[in-house]
Amino acid sequence: LIYVQEISPAPAVEAAMASKFVSLSDPLSVGDAIEARFGGGPDFHSGKVAAVNGDGTYAIDYSDGDKEPAVKRLRIRRLGQVPPETLVQGMRCEARHGGGMQCFDGVISQANSDGTFDVDYDDGDREQGVPAELIYVQEIDAVAAAAEVAMASAAEKEPELVGGDTIEARFGGGPDFHSGKVAVVNGDGTYAIDYSDGDKEPAVKRLRIRRPGQDTP
């Protein structure tokens, strides 16, 4: 039960990733039909945006008559959006610390081989081995999620990349490709990418990378 907004653990990179991921989820407007996790619970409930608050939260009027005055963006999805195919290091999230019911803001600091995740919380706490079902992240368009599955299949057939290769990659797992170069080939099959705009990512999956001019599946 982890809800995330994609960012990097490093503060400077975190701001850049958050900006690019917001472009994926896009700011909401008054009157938008949405679904939100009432009270930070695991289930989504239909409603509409009643007000856009100055702190980046939203007032929500739910279809069943309930209201919330300040709901975080990562607790809200547009109709038809779905969870990301996978959780990755650097994603902004909410997690149920210690398996409790209350969610705390943080960042996924590591994806473990056993399918769990380490979370660095905003309040300074750290937690290792958090199950995916305790982590909540920003929902994404179903089209983007389906494209990632298709790209995973296509990536298996692609030649391996090497350091210095010019590429385009989906920064933070978002839907848009950004130009850059392969900086390092990691031992786990991911790649460190240096983007043309100065951003960096230390571990990008092959399925999120394409060569210039390559069509998306």
Side-chain angles (χ1 to χ4, degrees), residues 2 4 7 9 85-91 93 107-120 127-132 135 137 188-190 202-205 208:
I2 298 177
V4 307
I7 61 166
E85 185 70 18
T86 58
L87 301 178
V88 297
Q89 179 182 345
M91 277 185 167
C93 70
V107 175
I108 295 176
S109 58
Q110 181 171 306
N112 302 315
S113 59
D114 62 359
T116 65
F117 301 85
D118 296 348
V119 176
D120 288 352
E127 190 173 17
Q128 297 179 326
V130 182
I135 300 174
V137 304
D188 61 359
T190 63
V204 181
K205 293 184 290 185
R208 293 182 174 175

Tab-separated table of all heavy atoms in Angstrom, residues 2 4 7 9 85-91 93 107-120 127-132 135 137 188-190 202-205 208:
chain	number	residue	atom	x	y	z
A	2	ILE	N	1.649	1.414	-1.043
A	2	ILE	CA	2.533	2.561	-1.178
A	2	ILE	C	2.065	3.416	-2.349
A	2	ILE	O	1.858	2.918	-3.432
A	2	ILE	CB	3.989	2.109	-1.430
A	2	ILE	CG1	4.504	1.296	-0.259
A	2	ILE	CG2	4.887	3.296	-1.704
A	2	ILE	CD1	5.886	0.744	-0.430
A	4	VAL	N	3.103	6.668	-4.693
A	4	VAL	CA	4.303	7.450	-4.948
A	4	VAL	C	4.123	8.463	-6.049
A	4	VAL	O	3.244	8.365	-6.886
A	4	VAL	CB	5.491	6.542	-5.336
A	4	VAL	CG1	5.684	5.453	-4.315
A	4	VAL	CG2	5.274	5.936	-6.705
A	7	ILE	N	10.402	10.515	-7.980
A	7	ILE	CA	11.455	11.487	-7.713
A	7	ILE	C	12.745	10.744	-7.451
A	7	ILE	O	12.777	9.523	-7.378
A	7	ILE	CB	11.129	12.356	-6.488
A	7	ILE	CG1	10.997	11.466	-5.256
A	7	ILE	CG2	9.880	13.157	-6.689
A	7	ILE	CD1	11.011	12.239	-3.983
A	9	PRO	N	16.002	10.234	-4.672
A	9	PRO	CA	16.291	10.490	-3.270
A	9	PRO	C	17.146	11.738	-3.060
A	9	PRO	O	17.047	12.385	-2.027
A	9	PRO	CB	17.050	9.231	-2.837
A	9	PRO	CG	16.641	8.186	-3.803
A	9	PRO	CD	16.414	8.905	-5.102
A	85	GLU	N	3.308	-0.173	-13.619
A	85	GLU	CA	3.562	-1.604	-13.758
A	85	GLU	C	4.487	-2.102	-12.648
A	85	GLU	O	4.312	-3.196	-12.119
A	85	GLU	CB	4.177	-1.887	-15.129
A	85	GLU	CG	4.385	-3.364	-15.441
A	85	GLU	CD	3.087	-4.111	-15.655
A	85	GLU	OE1	2.057	-3.471	-15.906
A	85	GLU	OE2	3.108	-5.345	-15.554
A	86	THR	N	5.478	-1.287	-12.298
A	86	THR	CA	6.417	-1.668	-11.242
A	86	THR	C	6.749	-0.445	-10.390
A	86	THR	O	6.615	0.690	-10.834
A	86	THR	CB	7.729	-2.222	-11.833
A	86	THR	OG1	8.315	-1.241	-12.688
A	86	THR	CG2	7.479	-3.506	-12.622
A	87	LEU	N	7.190	-0.701	-9.172
A	87	LEU	CA	7.717	0.353	-8.310
A	87	LEU	C	9.232	0.368	-8.477
A	87	LEU	O	9.859	-0.688	-8.592
A	87	LEU	CB	7.355	0.089	-6.850
A	87	LEU	CG	5.863	-0.019	-6.519
A	87	LEU	CD1	5.663	-0.325	-5.045
A	87	LEU	CD2	5.125	1.248	-6.910
A	88	VAL	N	9.809	1.561	-8.500
A	88	VAL	CA	11.253	1.654	-8.714
A	88	VAL	C	11.866	2.627	-7.712
A	88	VAL	O	11.171	3.461	-7.118
A	88	VAL	CB	11.587	2.119	-10.147
A	88	VAL	CG1	11.103	1.118	-11.174
A	88	VAL	CG2	11.001	3.498	-10.419
A	89	GLN	N	13.160	2.500	-7.541
A	89	GLN	CA	13.915	3.403	-6.671
A	89	GLN	C	13.716	4.846	-7.115
A	89	GLN	O	13.765	5.166	-8.297
A	89	GLN	CB	15.389	3.040	-6.725
A	89	GLN	CG	16.277	3.937	-5.877
A	89	GLN	CD	17.733	3.553	-5.998
A	89	GLN	OE1	18.065	2.476	-6.482
A	89	GLN	NE2	18.619	4.427	-5.556
A	90	GLY	N	13.475	5.728	-6.151
A	90	GLY	CA	13.310	7.138	-6.447
A	90	GLY	C	11.875	7.598	-6.550
A	90	GLY	O	11.605	8.787	-6.633
A	91	MET	N	10.908	6.669	-6.527
A	91	MET	CA	9.505	7.051	-6.597
A	91	MET	C	9.048	7.713	-5.304
A	91	MET	O	9.325	7.235	-4.210
A	91	MET	CB	8.617	5.835	-6.853
A	91	MET	CG	8.498	5.412	-8.280
A	91	MET	SD	7.298	4.052	-8.433
A	91	MET	CE	7.054	4.019	-10.192
A	93	CYS	N	6.283	8.445	-2.609
A	93	CYS	CA	5.251	7.518	-2.174
A	93	CYS	C	4.652	7.890	-0.827
A	93	CYS	O	5.122	8.799	-0.137
A	93	CYS	CB	5.824	6.102	-2.085
A	93	CYS	SG	6.996	5.869	-0.721
A	107	VAL	N	10.116	8.268	0.116
A	107	VAL	CA	10.683	7.933	-1.184
A	107	VAL	C	11.147	6.478	-1.144
A	107	VAL	O	11.713	6.031	-0.145
A	107	VAL	CB	11.888	8.842	-1.510
A	107	VAL	CG1	12.558	8.418	-2.806
A	107	VAL	CG2	11.459	10.292	-1.594
A	108	ILE	N	10.897	5.761	-2.221
A	108	ILE	CA	11.433	4.399	-2.318
A	108	ILE	C	12.932	4.513	-2.562
A	108	ILE	O	13.372	5.035	-3.587
A	108	ILE	CB	10.759	3.621	-3.458
A	108	ILE	CG1	9.268	3.416	-3.141
A	108	ILE	CG2	11.447	2.269	-3.658
A	108	ILE	CD1	8.499	2.736	-4.248
A	109	SER	N	13.717	4.043	-1.609
A	109	SER	CA	15.172	4.182	-1.705
A	109	SER	C	15.834	2.968	-2.340
A	109	SER	O	16.963	3.057	-2.826
A	109	SER	CB	15.777	4.428	-0.320
A	109	SER	OG	15.450	3.370	0.569
A	110	GLN	N	15.133	1.821	-2.320
A	110	GLN	CA	15.726	0.623	-2.924
A	110	GLN	C	14.649	-0.400	-3.226
A	110	GLN	O	13.707	-0.590	-2.448
A	110	GLN	CB	16.767	0.012	-1.986
A	110	GLN	CG	17.453	-1.236	-2.538
A	110	GLN	CD	18.619	-1.666	-1.682
A	110	GLN	OE1	19.516	-0.874	-1.407
A	110	GLN	NE2	18.634	-2.913	-1.248
A	111	ALA	N	14.778	-1.049	-4.382
A	111	ALA	CA	13.925	-2.188	-4.734
A	111	ALA	C	14.726	-3.457	-4.452
A	111	ALA	O	15.820	-3.649	-4.991
A	111	ALA	CB	13.522	-2.119	-6.203
A	112	ASN	N	14.207	-4.308	-3.583
A	112	ASN	CA	14.935	-5.503	-3.157
A	112	ASN	C	14.613	-6.710	-4.029
A	112	ASN	O	13.551	-6.784	-4.650
A	112	ASN	CB	14.597	-5.817	-1.691
A	112	ASN	CG	14.933	-4.662	-0.771
A	112	ASN	OD1	16.007	-4.066	-0.869
A	112	ASN	ND2	14.007	-4.331	0.126
A	113	SER	N	15.517	-7.676	-4.050
A	113	SER	CA	15.367	-8.851	-4.906
A	113	SER	C	14.194	-9.737	-4.497
A	113	SER	O	13.697	-10.531	-5.291
A	113	SER	CB	16.660	-9.676	-4.903
A	113	SER	OG	16.991	-10.097	-3.582
A	114	ASP	N	13.732	-9.591	-3.233
A	114	ASP	CA	12.622	-10.419	-2.771
A	114	ASP	C	11.255	-9.778	-3.036
A	114	ASP	O	10.227	-10.271	-2.578
A	114	ASP	CB	12.763	-10.727	-1.271
A	114	ASP	CG	12.734	-9.470	-0.405
A	114	ASP	OD1	12.629	-8.354	-0.962
A	114	ASP	OD2	12.808	-9.613	0.836
A	115	GLY	N	11.252	-8.667	-3.785
A	115	GLY	CA	9.987	-8.019	-4.126
A	115	GLY	C	9.536	-6.968	-3.131
A	115	GLY	O	8.485	-6.353	-3.321
A	116	THR	N	10.313	-6.756	-2.067
A	116	THR	CA	10.000	-5.699	-1.101
A	116	THR	C	10.794	-4.438	-1.437
A	116	THR	O	11.645	-4.445	-2.331
A	116	THR	CB	10.306	-6.138	0.341
A	116	THR	OG1	11.731	-6.341	0.469
A	116	THR	CG2	9.559	-7.413	0.688
A	117	PHE	N	10.541	-3.380	-0.667
A	117	PHE	CA	11.172	-2.098	-0.954
A	117	PHE	C	11.612	-1.432	0.337
A	117	PHE	O	10.968	-1.580	1.377
A	117	PHE	CB	10.195	-1.178	-1.693
A	117	PHE	CG	9.708	-1.757	-2.988
A	117	PHE	CD1	8.622	-2.619	-3.005
A	117	PHE	CD2	10.353	-1.474	-4.177
A	117	PHE	CE1	8.179	-3.180	-4.191
A	117	PHE	CE2	9.920	-2.034	-5.370
A	117	PHE	CZ	8.828	-2.887	-5.378
A	118	ASP	N	12.722	-0.707	0.255
A	118	ASP	CA	13.155	0.124	1.373
A	118	ASP	C	12.606	1.530	1.156
A	118	ASP	O	12.596	2.026	0.022
A	118	ASP	CB	14.676	0.172	1.467
A	118	ASP	CG	15.286	-1.192	1.759
A	118	ASP	OD1	14.531	-2.122	2.112
A	118	ASP	OD2	16.520	-1.319	1.619
A	119	VAL	N	12.132	2.164	2.244
A	119	VAL	CA	11.527	3.486	2.146
A	119	VAL	C	12.225	4.453	3.090
A	119	VAL	O	12.436	4.141	4.267
A	119	VAL	CB	10.016	3.426	2.474
A	119	VAL	CG1	9.410	4.826	2.469
A	119	VAL	CG2	9.285	2.527	1.480
A	120	ASP	N	12.609	5.601	2.553
A	120	ASP	CA	13.129	6.696	3.369
A	120	ASP	C	11.989	7.691	3.571
A	120	ASP	O	11.490	8.278	2.603
A	120	ASP	CB	14.299	7.392	2.675
A	120	ASP	CG	15.560	6.540	2.661
A	120	ASP	OD1	15.574	5.477	3.311
A	120	ASP	OD2	16.523	6.940	1.978
A	127	GLU	N	12.746	2.502	6.635
A	127	GLU	CA	12.156	1.177	6.831
A	127	GLU	C	12.599	0.270	5.700
A	127	GLU	O	12.531	0.645	4.522
A	127	GLU	CB	10.630	1.269	6.869
A	127	GLU	CG	9.950	-0.020	7.304
A	127	GLU	CD	8.449	0.149	7.502
A	127	GLU	OE1	7.883	1.150	7.011
A	127	GLU	OE2	7.849	-0.730	8.149
A	128	GLN	N	13.051	-0.932	6.067
A	128	GLN	CA	13.501	-1.896	5.076
A	128	GLN	C	12.463	-2.996	4.904
A	128	GLN	O	11.712	-3.323	5.813
A	128	GLN	CB	14.836	-2.514	5.502
A	128	GLN	CG	15.987	-1.512	5.596
A	128	GLN	CD	17.279	-2.171	6.049
A	128	GLN	OE1	17.277	-3.102	6.849
A	128	GLN	NE2	18.407	-1.678	5.536
A	129	GLY	N	12.435	-3.556	3.692
A	129	GLY	CA	11.585	-4.717	3.431
A	129	GLY	C	10.102	-4.424	3.489
A	129	GLY	O	9.330	-5.245	3.985
A	130	VAL	N	9.676	-3.282	2.963
A	130	VAL	CA	8.252	-2.941	2.974
A	130	VAL	C	7.557	-3.647	1.804
A	130	VAL	O	7.968	-3.481	0.643
A	130	VAL	CB	8.054	-1.416	2.840
A	130	VAL	CG1	6.572	-1.072	2.890
A	130	VAL	CG2	8.818	-0.685	3.936
A	131	PRO	N	6.508	-4.435	2.054
A	131	PRO	CA	5.790	-5.095	0.962
A	131	PRO	C	5.133	-4.069	0.039
A	131	PRO	O	4.724	-2.989	0.468
A	131	PRO	CB	4.724	-5.929	1.686
A	131	PRO	CG	5.227	-6.069	3.089
A	131	PRO	CD	5.978	-4.807	3.376
A	132	ALA	N	5.027	-4.408	-1.231
A	132	ALA	CA	4.453	-3.496	-2.218
A	132	ALA	C	3.038	-3.094	-1.869
A	132	ALA	O	2.612	-1.973	-2.155
A	132	ALA	CB	4.496	-4.134	-3.607
A	135	ILE	N	2.519	0.162	-0.023
A	135	ILE	CA	3.051	1.360	-0.669
A	135	ILE	C	2.036	1.879	-1.683
A	135	ILE	O	1.492	1.111	-2.473
A	135	ILE	CB	4.382	1.058	-1.377
A	135	ILE	CG1	5.419	0.546	-0.378
A	135	ILE	CG2	4.904	2.289	-2.105
A	135	ILE	CD1	6.714	0.083	-0.999
A	137	VAL	N	1.392	4.812	-4.739
A	137	VAL	CA	2.085	5.734	-5.642
A	137	VAL	C	1.099	6.415	-6.575
A	137	VAL	O	-0.057	6.018	-6.680
A	137	VAL	CB	3.159	5.004	-6.472
A	137	VAL	CG1	4.151	4.274	-5.580
A	137	VAL	CG2	2.510	4.063	-7.462
A	188	ASP	N	23.072	-5.095	-12.863
A	188	ASP	CA	21.742	-5.684	-12.727
A	188	ASP	C	20.893	-5.531	-13.987
A	188	ASP	O	19.702	-5.811	-13.977
A	188	ASP	CB	21.003	-5.071	-11.533
A	188	ASP	CG	20.801	-3.564	-11.671
A	188	ASP	OD1	21.252	-2.982	-12.683
A	188	ASP	OD2	20.186	-2.974	-10.760
A	189	GLY	N	21.523	-5.046	-15.091
A	189	GLY	CA	20.786	-4.903	-16.340
A	189	GLY	C	20.165	-3.541	-16.545
A	189	GLY	O	19.544	-3.295	-17.586
A	190	THR	N	20.332	-2.651	-15.575
A	190	THR	CA	19.853	-1.282	-15.734
A	190	THR	C	20.994	-0.389	-16.225
A	190	THR	O	22.147	-0.834	-16.314
A	190	THR	CB	19.291	-0.722	-14.419
A	190	THR	OG1	20.354	-0.660	-13.444
A	190	THR	CG2	18.163	-1.606	-13.887
A	202	PRO	N	20.291	6.957	-11.974
A	202	PRO	CA	21.341	5.954	-11.765
A	202	PRO	C	20.997	4.553	-12.239
A	202	PRO	O	21.897	3.754	-12.469
A	202	PRO	CB	21.510	5.964	-10.243
A	202	PRO	CG	20.148	6.333	-9.732
A	202	PRO	CD	19.599	7.312	-10.727
A	203	ALA	N	19.698	4.231	-12.388
A	203	ALA	CA	19.329	2.844	-12.698
A	203	ALA	C	18.022	2.808	-13.480
A	203	ALA	O	16.943	2.674	-12.917
A	203	ALA	CB	19.207	2.025	-11.417
A	204	VAL	N	18.135	2.921	-14.805
A	204	VAL	CA	16.961	2.940	-15.680
A	204	VAL	C	16.812	1.578	-16.352
A	204	VAL	O	17.762	1.046	-16.938
A	204	VAL	CB	17.080	4.038	-16.750
A	204	VAL	CG1	15.843	4.064	-17.647
A	204	VAL	CG2	17.293	5.398	-16.094
A	205	LYS	N	15.616	1.013	-16.275
A	205	LYS	CA	15.372	-0.282	-16.904
A	205	LYS	C	15.468	-0.175	-18.421
A	205	LYS	O	15.116	0.842	-19.014
A	205	LYS	CB	13.992	-0.802	-16.509
A	205	LYS	CG	13.865	-1.162	-15.031
A	205	LYS	CD	12.526	-1.764	-14.703
A	205	LYS	CE	11.411	-0.752	-14.794
A	205	LYS	NZ	10.111	-1.319	-14.352
A	208	ARG	N	12.638	1.135	-20.602
A	208	ARG	CA	12.324	2.563	-20.600
A	208	ARG	C	13.282	3.370	-21.483
A	208	ARG	O	13.270	4.595	-21.456
A	208	ARG	CB	12.360	3.107	-19.167
A	208	ARG	CG	11.244	2.539	-18.295
A	208	ARG	CD	11.252	3.109	-16.907
A	208	ARG	NE	10.084	2.657	-16.152
A	208	ARG	CZ	9.868	2.911	-14.882
A	208	ARG	NH1	10.731	3.642	-14.200
A	208	ARG	NH2	8.781	2.462	-14.270
